[in-house]
Amino acid sequence: GTIIYADVFKEARNPSYILKVDFGPDIGVLKSSAQITKLYTPAELLNTQVIGVVNFPKKQIGPIQSECLITGFPQTDGAVILARPDKPVPNGLRLL
């Protein structure tokens, strides 16, 4: 999917962003909380394609309900490097 909204999640216990990700017409726009603040700013995240898991149950995280999981690689210092395609792909395309 493509990140269409990113902002600081002020109510989160750990530094996080609230993301809205467009997963195409079949899945739609889903909301997520992501602890990716060490390496990315909200402005850098806009229009970035990411790999997300959309078939998990929704999870309440403070005042928001997370509807998908954005994937990444955790580093020893706690930073997370996003897992994302290296070339543009259609939103909603399944990962094989």
Side-chain angles (χ1 to χ4, degrees):
T2 300
I3 297 173
I4 60 170
Y5 172 89
D7 200 6
V8 175
F9 187 2
K10 295 177 182 125
E11 298 87 359
R13 279 190 239 157
N14 297 314
S16 303
Y17 295 135
I18 296 173
L19 305 176
K20 289 183 183 176
V21 183
D22 181 355
F23 286 102
D26 292 340
I27 298 169
V29 175
L30 300 179
K31 194 176 345 175
S32 185
S33 169
Q35 295 179 8
I36 55 174
T37 59
K38 286 189 176 190
L39 297 177
Y40 306 97
T41 67
E44 290 172 321
L45 292 169
L46 283 180
N47 301 312
T48 297
Q49 285 200 302
V50 291
I51 298 170
V53 179
V54 299
N55 61 349
F56 282 164
K58 295 177 183 178
K59 182 175 181 179
Q60 192 70 36
I61 301 175
I64 75 155
Q65 191 167 60
S66 184
E67 302 168 313
C68 63
L69 173 70
I70 304 306
T71 59
F73 300 95
Q75 306 300 291
T76 56
D77 66 354
V80 176
I81 297 172
L82 287 172
R84 50 187 172 178
D86 65 348
K87 297 197 181 348
V89 296
N91 289 334
L93 194 64
R94 297 175 68 107
L95 179 65
L96 299 178

